[in-house]
Structure formats: structure tokens, C-alpha cells
Amino acid sequence: MKTYRVGIVGATGMVGQRFITLLEKHPWFKPTALLASARSAEKKYKEAVGDKWAMNSPIPEYAKELIVLDAEKDAGSLAGKIDFIFCAVNMNKKEIKALEEKYARLEIPVVSNNSAHRFTDDVPMVIPEVNPEHLNVIPFQRKRLGTKRGFIAVKSNCSLQSYVPLLHPLLPYGIKQVAVCTYQAISGAGKTFSTMPEILDNVIPFIGGEEEKSQEEPLKIWGKVENGKIVRAQIPPITAQCLRVPVTDGHTAAVFVSFEKKPAKEEILKAWKEFKGAPQKLRLPSAPERFLNYFEEENRPQPKLDRNLENGMGVSVGRLREDDVFDYKFIGLSHNTLRGAAGGAVLLAELLTAEGYFN
């Protein structure tokens, strides 16, 4: 496997920092360009990030001395010098759309952690184990953009990883309706306890835009590519509530589900245990060996104990039981900045690599 030259756009933010740590020893990807806002440009990375470094491990040596580039002004200078970019920026959606299309039209593929293009109908929004076939829309997107190499692919919202992968193997039973309540860690807001003191001894029952994403994004993920566009599924209906809780990392989901053909509990457990996706079959570097992991204990999964399962790339589930209103209920958990953000984007990039989209 060749080594791919990678740019990280939004390198000083929390997700950008996670990209930098994840790619330190990646067997395929080598970061050669770090990009951020004009405020950070022309500084060494260690100076640009300063005391905002939020990872548990130190800044990797390879990144410390790299000069940060201006994500907007310096984009053109990267054409032909990098193979693709990861993008995780804090801008409004209109600006993000324009920036990502700018890179794509420069023939630099974009693997995005941002939400701006999630509902662009020729942009694949992919959970690699769930809907890899949506990558088939990329040639149509390239035609629209007028590119040969350039395109945009996005990952879904971080909280979806805690329940959509668990519902996906159950689709053959005809899911009628879903209710989910997510309890989301502060790192999902780019915060730590020192920068979000209001969360201490508290739960905040509103996260802007999160409930809409939780209800609508799964329907695009379960949609189909038709006539060069991704047509969203119409069912199942999903209702969601999303709360911010005093947890560093790890999004928990309380899930309720009803079926057209109610499976036995043993059938659900078997479907979870046996489910494998393209990353497992292709043995991608960041793929968890077991994607879905069931806990028999009544008090699991827990963020503090289980978020780092499979290097933070596995999804945990427990407390499967019958319900008096729905058919079943259960608890899901995923690491929001690994599986849910940077790690999920790296896995998506590995899938794109294996399928030849960066050639």
C-alpha cells in the first residue's frame, strides 16, 4: 500500500487534534499539511494550538514544528501536493459548503467531519459498516463538480453511532418505529470540564440541531442511490431527545423499537454478534475486530468503562429487554470523538482508499 499525503483542515480544534493523534503511526496516511483559520496561520503547530491541546497524550513530534497554513487562502497551493484532506472546521454551514467544494474542485478529495454537506443528495454520508454502497454516488458528484479526482464524502453525526449500527442488522424484521434519547459527552461540543463549568452537577436538555439530525440522518443512511442521487428512506419514523451530560467522552443512547415481525430476543443477540461490515471483511487498519459488542451485565455499557472498546471504534450494547409500549428497549454506547468523529472519518478514508477513490 502506498503512503497517502494528507491534509487536516481545522487542525487546532478538538476533532483536528484527534486526527493528529490518530494519524501519528497510521500505516497508510501521513499528514503533511495542517490548516486552520487565519489566526493560526504562519505559526508552528505547537504555538498555534498552545494551551488548547485537549488530548491525554502530548502533541506528536511530527506535528509540533509544522507551519500551519490558512485553510482558505492556502488551499490552492496544495493542489497536486496532497492526496486528500480531512475537514473538521468551526464555521457556518454556507462557508463550510463553499470551502469543501473549493478543495474538491482543486482535485483534492474531502473526507468531512462537518454537517454542511450531509444532505447534499450526491454526497455520500457513510457509516462504513452500514452503507458503503453509497460511495457509488461519487462519480455522479464528480460530474456535477467537473472534477476527475475531487469529491466530498461525509460521516454522519457522532450520536448516531450509538444506535444506528445496532438497529441496522434488525432491518429485516421490519422496524416500525424508533424512539431514542441520547446522553452526549461534553467533548461533542468541543469542551472539557475546565472550559464548560456549567455542566458540573448538571444536565442540559437541549443541543442545538441535534434532535433533527438524530431523526433525519438515519433515513439518508438507509436510503438508496438512484439516478445519481441518494434517495432517503421513508421509514422507520424516529423520534429523538438529546441531552448534554457531565461525561468527558462517550455518547449513550436509550433506544426503544417496534417491529412488523417481532424477533425473539435470541435472534436480536445473534444478529448483533454475527454482524460484520465492509471494514471487517477488508481488514481495514482502523476497523474493530468485533463491531457490535453485547454486555450481559445489567449495569453496562458505561462510558467510563466501555468507550475505549476496540480502540474506541467498537459499539457497545446492553440491557436488551421487552417493553410494554414498544417491542424492545436497549442501551447503546459509542466513543463520540473516535468512532463518532475523527476515528470514523479515518475509517471512511480507509474504505475510500481500499475502493480506489483516491487513485
Side-chain angles (χ1 to χ4, degrees), residues 176 257-259 262 321-323 325-329:
K176 284 199 302 186
V257 57
S258 292
F259 297 93
K262 182 181 176 181
R321 59 220 190 274
E322 294 195 46
D323 183 67
V325 177
F326 290 76
D327 287 331
Y328 287 99
K329 53 190 172 185

Side-chain angles (χ1 to χ4, degrees), residues 94 125 202 209 225 239 263 280 338 345:
K94 185 177 180 181
M125 177 173 63
N202 198 18
V225 177
T239 184
Q280 286 72 40
L338 288 171

